[in-house]
Amino acid sequence: MTRDLAPLTTESVDDRFARIDEMSVAELATLMNRNDHDVPLAVESALPQIIPALEGAAERMQRGGRLIYVGAGTPGRIGVLDASECPPTFSTPPELVFAIIAGGREAISGAVEGAEDDADAGAVAIDDAGVGPLDTVVGIASSGRTPFVVAAVRRARELGALAIGLSCNAGATLSAVADHGIEVLVGAEFISGSTRLKSGTAQKLVLNMFSSIVMVRLGKTYGNLMVDVTASNAKLRRRAITIVSRITGADDTTSEAALVAAGFKVKPAVLALERGWDTQRAERELRAVGGRLREALEAR
């Protein structure tokens, strides 16, 4: 049976945009940009829901848990995008932060008809991922009622994981089955029902918080510097050199030499320069403090 969309604010029609097909490109761009101004304000309003969810996720990940996004269609792809940035930015293994998308890998670049409506598949996906009590599962659905996502979050909670539901409608089913319901109310879309727009932007902003803030709490940064960057190309190697120079005050040549000795890993390179140690000792000292560079530098 087709579910009624009328109660969903994400499906509502805003009369301000009723004649966009008659507007110039300049008018369209200006109006759309103004409408997008609502998104960060909506996220700000949801901070009382977001913060405790973040605290819970960070606490579990500090004990060895994983962060798992679950979505269908655009929300699933946003989850894939956010998760895929963690390994190069924070040198995390791919299995630490990852995304489950309804329909599997094929759905990343194309539609898989009916996948989002398969509740059984959502629950099975959680079982297949071996979700347990240390894990955090973030279900993402603009409507807040996508069967695949709702079932996945419900199953994750049954297994003892921290279950979080991220939606863009009030009173969402997803919130009801989660430990933490996050409802970012962005209102009607510029093109009615096209939730890849404001809703998608809101979801990415919230996932930015999850993937960034938990990594800060895990010691993956020194201040606001990405000291766990994977220097896999010329740009990132240059960034690594700049970071080492900024922290230690060494010139670029010295910083690069320290990085080469450390396999282009920033943390041991910094510690080696600051303490006059070899790379092996720097690595040992970092392991002793859980990889937290600030603690290693401040240790006596």
Side-chain angles (χ1 to χ4, degrees):
M1 181 181 294
T2 302
R3 291 167 293 162
D4 183 16
L5 300 179
L8 305 179
T9 57
T10 49
E11 297 290 335
S12 60
V13 179
D14 191 325
D15 289 338
R16 292 178 300 166
F17 313 134
R19 303 180 74 90
I20 60 173
D21 56 334
E22 300 175 12
M23 293 181 180
S24 69
V25 169
E27 290 170 328
L28 287 165
T30 300
L31 188 58
M32 190 171 181
N33 178 250
R34 287 175 182 167
N35 194 42
D36 285 341
H37 288 187
D38 298 341
V39 178
L41 297 177
V43 173
E44 182 179 8
S45 295
L47 283 177
Q49 299 171 342
I50 296 169
I51 291 170
L54 281 168
E55 290 172 338
E59 189 275 331
R60 294 198 186 204
M61 291 192 75
Q62 285 170 333
R63 292 191 285 130
R66 301 172 296 171
L67 177 60
I68 304 164
Y69 300 139
V70 182
T74 296
R77 296 180 192 108
I78 291 170
V80 170
L81 171 63
D82 198 73
S84 67
E85 292 293 340
C86 289
T89 305
F90 302 112
S91 291
T92 57
E95 64 272 14
L96 185 66
V97 182
F98 65 94
I100 297 170
I101 183 170
R105 295 184 62 83
E106 181 183 346
I108 295 174
S109 58
V112 177
E113 298 300 330
E116 72 171 50
D117 296 324
D118 192 340
D120 290 341
V124 168
I126 293 299
D127 287 336
D128 288 347
V131 169
L134 291 181
D135 294 326
T136 298
V137 174
V138 182
I140 317 156
S142 301
S143 67
R145 62 183 194 178
T146 304
F148 181 95
V149 180
V150 170
V153 170
R154 181 186 287 115
R155 180 59 179 154
R157 191 178 187 185
E158 290 171 353
L159 293 170
L162 183 67
I164 299 168
L166 171 58
S167 65
C168 295
N169 281 288
T173 302
L174 191 54
S175 298
V177 302
D179 295 300
H180 296 280
I182 299 171
E183 298 174 351
V184 185
L185 308 181
V186 297
E189 298 285 3
F190 182 72
I191 298 173
S192 179
S194 184
T195 53
R196 67 185 179 84
L197 300 176
K198 286 198 300 184
S199 297
T201 301
Q203 290 156 13
K204 186 61 173 76
L205 289 176
V206 175
L207 296 194
N208 282 349
M209 290 183 180
F210 273 89
S211 59
S212 299
I213 291 172
V214 297
M215 292 301 163
V216 171
R217 300 296 291 171
L218 289 174
K220 294 289 187 178
T221 65
Y222 178 81
N224 63 346
L225 302 176
M226 55 168 70
V227 289
D228 261 329
V229 62
T230 298
S232 57
N233 58 40
K235 179 190 74 175
L236 295 177
R237 287 191 290 274
R238 178 67 251 176
R239 182 176 296 165
I241 293 167
T242 301
I243 291 171
V244 173
S245 295
R246 184 177 182 88
I247 296 172
T248 66
D251 59 40
D252 285 359
T253 300
T254 303
S255 295
E256 185 172 10
L259 280 164
V260 169
F264 250 88
K265 291 185 287 186
V266 170
K267 287 178 178 178
V270 167
L271 202 53
L273 284 174
E274 287 290 276
R275 291 285 188 264
W277 296 335
D278 60 26
T279 300
Q280 289 72 29
R281 181 172 180 187
E283 293 274 18
R284 288 197 305 271
E285 297 292 338
L286 281 164
R287 285 195 296 271
V289 293
R292 296 175 181 274
L293 180 58
R294 187 175 297 279
E295 289 187 27
L297 287 171
E298 294 177 356
R300 293 290 182 263

